[in-house]
Amino acid sequence: MRTLFVPLAVMALAVSPAFSQSTAGSNPSSLRHAAPGATEPAGPLDLPSALALARQFNPGLSSAAREREATDAAVVQAGAWPNPVFGAQVEDLRRDNRTTTLQLSQPIELGGKRAARVTAAERARDQAESALLARRSELRASTITLFFEVLAAQERLRLAQDSVGLAEVATRAAANRVAAGKVSPLEENRARVAEAGIRVELLQAEGALRSARRQLAALWGNASPRFTHADGAIDLLPAATADAVQHRLSEAPVLRQARLEVERREALSALEQARRVPDITVSLGAKRVPADEGMGSGSGRNQVVVGVSVPLPIFDTNRGNVAEALSREEKARDDLLAAELQLRADVAQATERLRSARATAEMLQRDALPGAEAARHAAARGFELGKFSFLEALDAQRTLFQVRNQHLLALAEAHRAAGELDRLLGIGDETLRAAPAAR
């Protein structure tokens, strides 16, 4: 009996070293979760530092990288061969009539199932790689957009502080004129009411800046921002030409994902087609039979057992799975067409928003801001000299503040539109943000 078990045991354990090796290598050090380190600067923060922090500590980007690693393991598993099956059978438990059969069976896949399975897993891996690249582009676009939101919020706060200073000057001037008996106390009351309104706008600007800073720092997992202020030029307008947009359109992440989904569905359809071909199982073993009568009870003999089994595809021909896979393949093609149409519409809308915001910012910078600044200065000087009323000086001051605020809103809208284009097109460089505003 021992002579039967030894060779079969060796055959059964032949695959164990490879299994142990693959198991030992299935937990690479890259899968260990690393706690994010707080490397955010405690002083000014520039755009390259913000991008580096987001790339290093963003949880969403880390999740996409883990998914990419998981698909590598899925490809390895898809290429694995079926395991052999060891079986033992005993007939008639009486010692003199006992027949023992030991058998090792190996399933053999036919019809290209393994190749189709590996192809489908590879397409899923390509999708995960594309999703990782898309997540990087999206994170980059969000970081740049929120960084310029912080810059705009800082500038709005500065404008609000300047307006408070001007309102204080106007209030003191009105109080002096009232004390001198030149105007009625109503002028001073109006000045104080206007100053209170501007102080409310200052509080709102401070809140908006705090919110923008928190949103930016949240990209690298920091709920309490450490940086004091964003260091950058708010008037650096993004510029995207139609040629650059059209060049990147075909390589947009959403289209790349949709094309890979079509390829994956094609591979799954081929796999379901291959599963219609039945697999065979080859068996090899040994059978110990009892001794014949008259030959003694201890002289049994061994027999070699060879077998082949083939399932008969009578009731289950995998027809439903094949039909489902083909339908999902067609659906993936329809989704690709829909994604292309939607992408073109979104890109056209973002491009028009960027063009409009650029034109607005340039016009305000070139025409409106110089005139509003000159009118405010003349009205303030004239009010101090008694040539203009307080309402005229206040109106000039409010006009300047509104024009400046409109200019900041246009700049912020331009950066938001450029960030949307970056996200849609999967742009990963700084080429679209190199045009300064006209002066």
Side-chain angles (χ1 to χ4, degrees):
M1 193 68 169
R2 181 175 299 175
T3 59
L4 273 174
F5 274 106
V6 172
L8 291 175
V10 173
M11 295 173 63
L13 295 177
V15 296
S16 61
F19 175 78
S20 300
Q21 183 179 1
S22 63
T23 304
S26 62
N27 187 24
S29 59
S30 61
L31 292 179
R32 290 195 295 267
H33 180 71
T39 59
E40 179 184 334
L45 177 70
D46 56 8
L47 182 56
S49 299
L51 290 171
L53 286 169
R55 283 193 299 265
Q56 186 175 3
F57 297 116
N58 183 260
L61 187 60
S62 176
S63 175
R66 304 294 183 185
E67 179 65 23
R68 172 63 178 82
E69 294 174 358
T71 55
D72 284 335
V75 172
V76 174
Q77 183 61 36
W81 295 93
N83 290 323
V85 179
F86 175 75
Q89 183 178 359
V90 177
E91 302 177 15
D92 199 337
L93 298 180
R94 291 174 297 179
R95 181 181 180 83
D96 295 339
N97 298 328
R98 183 183 305 162
T99 301
T100 304
T101 304
L102 301 179
Q103 195 170 11
L104 191 65
S105 302
Q106 176 62 54
I108 299 177
E109 293 182 311
L110 300 179
K113 296 183 183 66
R114 180 173 176 273
R117 191 168 59 244
V118 170
T119 301
E122 289 175 344
R123 296 295 80 75
R125 180 183 60 186
D126 294 340
Q127 280 188 307
E129 179 70 24
S130 177
L132 176 59
L133 295 176
R135 180 58 186 146
R136 287 174 180 169
S137 298
E138 181 180 354
L139 178 62
R140 173 191 170 277
S142 298
T143 304
I144 295 176
T145 301
L146 290 177
F147 183 84
F148 279 96
E149 290 282 354
V150 174
L151 288 178
Q154 290 176 171
E155 186 65 17
R156 280 194 291 268
L157 177 61
R158 187 185 67 80
L159 292 179
Q161 291 171 344
D162 291 344
S163 296
V164 169
L166 293 175
E168 290 175 349
V169 172
T171 301
R172 286 195 299 268
N176 292 335
R177 296 183 68 182
V178 170
K182 295 181 179 180
V183 295
S184 67
L186 181 61
E187 293 290 335
E188 182 179 358
N189 292 336
R190 289 178 177 176
R192 295 189 182 279
V193 170
E195 181 182 348
I198 294 175
R199 290 188 181 276
V200 170
E201 294 176 353
L202 175 62
L203 294 176
Q204 293 174 348
E206 291 174 348
L209 177 58
R210 287 193 297 269
S211 178
R213 293 176 70 247
R214 290 194 185 99
Q215 290 181 15
L216 177 60
L219 292 178
W220 51 82
N222 189 5
S224 301
R226 298 181 61 215
F227 69 93
T228 56
H229 66 280
D231 186 9
I234 185 61
D235 59 349
L236 198 65
L237 275 172
T241 63
D243 294 338
V245 170
Q246 292 300 323
H247 176 71
R248 298 285 308 185
L249 194 60
S250 61
E251 297 299 324
V254 64
L255 294 186
R256 188 166 59 242
Q257 284 286 89
R259 284 193 293 265
L260 289 173
E261 178 64 15
V262 171
E263 295 177 6
R264 189 177 76 90
R265 287 298 174 182
E266 290 175 349
L268 290 175
S269 297
L271 176 59
E272 295 300 335
Q273 291 283 2
R275 284 174 177 169
R276 303 188 70 174
V277 179
D279 299 332
I280 65 173
T281 302
V282 179
S283 302
L284 175 64
K287 182 176 183 181
R288 177 76 174 180
V289 297
D292 295 337
E293 294 182 4
M295 295 183 62
S297 60
S299 58
R301 65 183 185 276
N302 296 329
Q303 296 178 347
V304 177
V305 178
V306 179
V308 176
S309 62
V310 181
L312 301 178
I314 298 176
F315 302 109
D316 183 7
T317 60
N318 206 39
R319 181 177 59 183
N321 289 334
V322 170
E324 178 187 0
L326 292 175
S327 295
R328 295 191 183 279
E329 181 182 337
E330 294 301 323
K331 176 181 178 296
R333 290 192 175 92
D334 293 339
D335 290 341
L336 174 58
L337 294 177
E340 184 175 1
L341 293 175
Q342 185 64 44
L343 175 65
R344 292 185 180 277
D346 293 341
V347 167
Q349 182 179 11
T351 303
E352 183 57 35
R353 284 173 51 201
L354 176 57
R355 185 182 297 110
S356 177
R358 274 186 58 87
T360 301
E362 291 172 351
M363 186 272 293
L364 291 173
Q365 179 72 33
R366 183 181 60 251
D367 301 331
L369 278 175
E373 180 68 32
R376 196 276 310 170
H377 180 74
R381 183 63 178 169
F383 176 72
E384 293 176 358
L385 298 176
K387 296 181 178 180
F388 297 113
S389 67
F390 170 75
L391 290 179
E392 292 173 328
L394 180 62
D395 182 67
Q397 175 182 330
R398 297 289 295 176
T399 300
L400 175 61
F401 181 82
Q402 290 174 359
V403 172
R404 286 180 174 178
N405 192 52
Q406 288 176 355
H407 183 241
L408 287 176
L409 290 177
L411 291 172
E413 175 63 17
H415 288 292
R416 280 193 293 267
E420 181 68 9
L421 276 176
D422 289 356
R423 184 188 67 83
L424 292 171
L425 302 177
I427 296 174
D429 51 45
E430 306 295 332
T431 56
L432 296 187
R433 294 177 181 269
R439 293 185 178 276

